C-alpha cells in the first residue's frame, strides 16, 4: 500500500499518523488488493464485505456498525427511470458513515486518543459517532449556521462541538489552528475517508449484476461522493470487473461552484471565489482541497461539472417527497443537475443513471419545513 503526496510524489510510511505532505499537498493511498467476485456471495451485507480493498491493516481495528449495502431503488424522473442509491440509510443519516467507518478505523489503528475536525455537519456527525464507537475523544468545528439536528447529533455522540461564526471556511481555519495540538481527522485531507465512500460504487456494481451504470451524478463539495465513485469504479476497471468507467458528473450549487468555473473556463487551478449562501449547505465548499483529483476523475470518465440554481431545489424536494423519499436540500442538487444534463443531451433517456441520495431529510427538518411552506 502506497501513501504518497498527489502534488510532489513524496512517500510516507502508512503506519505513521499524517494528514498532509510537508509540501502542503494532499495525500492519497493506493491499496494493492481487491476482493474476488466469487467470495462476495458468502459475506454479510455491509460495506466491509469489500475488506481487501479497504486500507486497514488489522481486523481488530475495524470500527463498524455493520453499515452499508443501501437500497438501489428505481424511480421515475424526467420521463425515464433512474436508480436512486438510498445512501441516507446509515446510522447517522448520511453517506458520510461510509468514510467515517474507515477513517476512524485508521485513527484507531494509529493509536490516536484524541482527534478534531471541521465539517458543515454530516461529516462531523459521522466522525463523532464512529469516534464514540472507537473510544476516541473528538472535537468538532462547524459553522454556527449548521442545521440544529446535525448539532444535536454531534453533541449526543459525546463530541465537543465548537460553533464557529462566519462562512464554512472559517471553521476550517480554526480547526487547522487547533490541529497544531491534536490530530486533524479531516474527512477531506485524510485519504482513508474516500476509500470508505468508494464502497458505494462497489455496491452499485453488485446490485446491477456486476455491471457499471452508464452515468452517475453526485453532489460535490470536497468530493467524497465523487472521488468515492471514481476510486471504486477505477479499482473495478483495473481488476477487469468492468469494461469502462461510468461517466461521472459532479453537481455544485451555482452559489458556490468553484469546480464548475474551473471546468467551464478551462482554468489551470481552482479559482478563488466568493461563495454566496446556499440551501445546499452540505456542498458549500469554496476551496476544495482535492480539486486536481476531482478534475481528473471527471475528465477521465468523460463526465462534467454542472451548476444548479437554488430555486430548482424546493420543487425537487416536493417531487421526491411525493414518491416517499425525504432528502435534505443538498441531496436534491444532483437531480437538478441530471435534468440539465438531459436537456443538453449529455445524458440520454436510455442511459442507466445512478444518483446517490446523500442525506436524510430529517437532518434539515427546520429548513424543509420552511421550504415546503413556500
Ligand atoms: C458532505 C455531503 C455531500 C458532499 O460531500 P463532499 O465530500 O463535500 O463532496 C453531499 N451531500 C450531503 C448531504 C453531504 O453531507
Ligand atoms: Zn507533497
Amino acid at each position: 500500500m502506497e501513501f504518497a503526496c498527489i502534488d510532489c510524489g513524496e512517500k510516507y510510511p502508512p503506519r505513521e499518523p499524517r494528514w498532509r505532505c510537508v509540501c502542503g499537498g494532499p495525500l492519497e493511498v493506493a491499496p494493492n488488493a481487491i476482493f474476488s467476485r466469487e467470495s462476495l456471495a458468502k459475506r454479510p451485507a455491509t460495506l466491509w464485505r469489500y475488506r481487501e480493498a479497504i486500507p486497514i491493516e488489522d481486523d481488530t481495528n475495524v470500527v463498524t456498525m455493520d453499515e452499508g449495502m443501501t437500497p438501489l431503488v428505481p424511480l421515475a424522473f424526467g420521463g425515464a427511470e433512474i436508480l436512486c442509491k438510498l445512501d441516507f440509510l446509515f446510522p447517522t443519516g448520511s453517506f458520510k458513515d461510509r468514510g467515517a467507518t474507515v477513517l476512524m478505523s485508521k485513527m484507531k489503528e494509529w493509536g490516536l486518543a484524541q482527534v478534531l475536525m471541521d465539517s458543515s455537519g454530516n461529516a462531523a456527525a459521522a466522525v463523532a459517532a464512529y469516534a464514540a464507537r472507537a473510544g476516541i475523544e473528538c472535537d468538532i468545528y462547524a459553522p454556527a449556521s449548521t442545521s440544529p439536528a446535525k448539532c444535536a447529533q454531534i453533541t449526543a455522540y459525546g463530541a465537543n462541538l465548537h460553533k464557529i461564526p462566519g462562512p464554512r471556511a472559517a471553521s476550517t481555519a480554526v480547526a487547522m489552528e487547533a490541529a497544531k495540538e491534536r490530530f486533524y481527522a479531516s474527512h477531506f485531507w485524510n485519504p482513508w475517508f474516500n476509500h470508505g465512500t468508494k464502497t458505494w460504487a462497489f455496491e452499485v456494481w453488485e446490485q446491477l449484476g456486476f455491471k457499471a451504470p452508464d452515468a452517475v451524478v453526485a453532489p460535490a463539495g470536497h468530493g467524497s461522493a465523487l472521488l468515492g465513485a471514481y476510486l471504486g469504479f477505477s479499482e473495478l476497471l483495473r481488476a477487469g470487473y468492468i469494461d469502462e468507467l461510468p461517466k461521472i458528473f459532479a453537481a455544485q450549487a451555482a452559489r458556490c461552484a468553484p469546480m464548475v468555473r474551473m471546468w467551464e473556463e478551462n482554468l489551470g487551478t481552482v479559482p478563488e471565489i466568493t461563495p454566496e449562501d446556499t440551501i445546499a449547505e452540505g456542498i458549500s465548499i469554496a476551496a476544495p482541497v482535492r480539486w486536481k483529483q476531482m478534475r481528473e476523475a471527471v475528465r477521465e470518465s468523460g463526465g462534467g461539472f454542472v451548476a444548479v440554481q437554488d430555486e430548482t431545489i424546493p420543487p425537487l424536494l416536493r417531487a421526491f417527497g411525493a414518491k416517499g423519499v425525504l432528502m435534505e436540500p443538498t441531496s436534491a442538487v444532483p437531480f437538478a443537475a441530471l435534468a440539465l444534463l438531459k436537456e443538453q443531451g449529455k445524458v440520454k433517456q436510455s442511459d442507466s443513471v445512478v444518483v446517490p441520495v446523500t442525506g436524510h431529510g430529517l437532518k434539515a427538518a427546520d429548513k424543509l419545513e420552511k421550504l415546503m411552506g413556500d
Side-chain angles (χ1 to χ4, degrees):
M1 174 166 62
E2 190 170 288
F3 187 34
C5 173
I6 63 174
D7 283 347
C8 75
E10 181 72 24
K11 293 187 181 64
Y12 293 96
R15 292 203 176 134
E16 282 169 30
R18 166 172 289 281
W19 57 270
R20 71 173 165 188
C21 181
V22 287
C23 85
L27 301 167
E28 182 53 283
V29 281
N32 32 27
I34 194 148
F35 40 87
S36 83
R37 199 178 353 205
E38 295 68 36
S39 66
L40 292 176
K42 291 186 227 84
R43 298 187 180 182
T46 83
L47 63 83
W48 287 94
R49 65 202 269 105
Y50 309 111
R51 181 70 184 89
E52 293 88 342
I54 301 178
I56 298 299
E57 288 184 34
D58 194 331
D59 282 342
T60 59
N61 294 320
V62 171
V63 181
T64 178
M65 292 191 254
D66 288 349
E67 57 291 301
M69 201 44 96
T70 56
L72 187 64
V73 177
L75 283 178
F77 182 77
E81 194 170 77
I82 57 166
L83 296 162
C84 297
K85 181 78 171 148
L86 301 189
D87 253 15
F88 54 79
L89 294 177
F90 273 97
T92 79
S94 89
F95 83 103
K96 295 274 185 356
D97 290 8
R98 289 190 189 278
T101 179
V102 176
L103 176 63
M104 295 321 289
S105 297
K106 183 51 73 177
M107 303 294 100
K108 187 174 170 197
E109 192 146 87
W110 279 344
L112 298 167
Q114 299 164 327
V115 299
L116 66 90
M117 59 97 72
D118 58 287
S119 144
S120 67
N122 283 338
V127 164
Y130 286 85
R133 294 282 290 175
I136 295 172
E137 192 187 330
C138 184
D139 279 75
I140 300 286
Y141 298 81
S145 59
T146 299
S147 287
K150 298 179 189 178
C151 293
Q153 273 189 295
I154 293 163
T155 314
Y157 294 135
N160 310 309
L161 174 61
H162 309 268
K163 289 191 190 175
I164 310 299
R168 171 69 183 83
S171 302
T172 301
V174 181
M176 285 178 84
E177 193 52 38
K180 290 175 181 159
E181 310 277 318
R182 288 185 177 189
F183 190 81
Y184 185 31
S186 163
H187 62 295
F188 45 94
W189 277 105
N190 291 276
W192 320 95
F193 193 87
N194 293 344
H195 286 270
T197 57
K198 76 182 177 189
T199 57
W200 86 268
F202 296 157
E203 290 178 20
V204 164
W205 164 76
E206 264 200 89
Q207 289 168 317
L208 293 178
F210 303 109
K211 281 210 255 324
D214 296 315
V216 301
V217 190
H222 276 299
S224 63
L226 167 68
L227 291 172
Y230 177 73
L231 290 171
F233 286 115
S234 348
E235 287 177 26
L236 293 172
L237 185 66
R238 225 171 295 131
Y241 291 172
I242 56 174
D243 298 329
E244 215 181 355
L245 290 178
K247 289 194 174 76
I248 301 174
F249 293 98
Q252 299 204 294
R255 291 164 174 249
C256 183
M259 295 301 299
V260 178
R261 215 177 114 203
M262 180 174 77
W263 185 255
E264 287 180 348
E265 296 175 19
N266 207 6
L267 306 175
T269 183
V270 67
E272 263 185 48
I273 60 153
T274 311
E276 294 168 68
D277 266 353
T278 164
I279 51 172
E281 65 177 11
I283 50 171
S284 179
I285 304 295
V289 164
R290 295 183 182 273
W291 59 270
K292 220 182 269 175
Q293 280 183 303
M294 288 161 77
R295 181 180 62 190
E296 284 320 298
V298 166
R299 189 181 273 161
E300 194 185 321
S301 75
F305 288 91
V306 186
V308 162
Q309 301 298 331
D310 267 27
E311 298 68 41
T312 58
I313 294 175
L316 283 168
L317 294 172
R318 253 182 239 116
F320 279 94
K323 298 174 202 285
V325 177
L326 185 71
M327 65 182 77
E328 65 173 288
T330 303
S331 304
V333 169
F335 293 100
L338 177 57
L340 293 172
L341 289 165
K342 288 192 167 197
E343 267 171 42
Q344 299 162 355
K346 291 181 182 154
V347 171
K348 294 193 284 293
Q349 284 299 59
S350 57
D351 283 346
S352 66
V353 183
V354 177
V355 181
V357 188
T358 52
H360 202 294
L362 294 176
K363 290 275 196 167
D366 57 325
K367 294 186 172 91
L368 282 188
E369 194 182 13
K370 279 199 208 98
L371 292 172
M372 295 301 106
D374 292 345

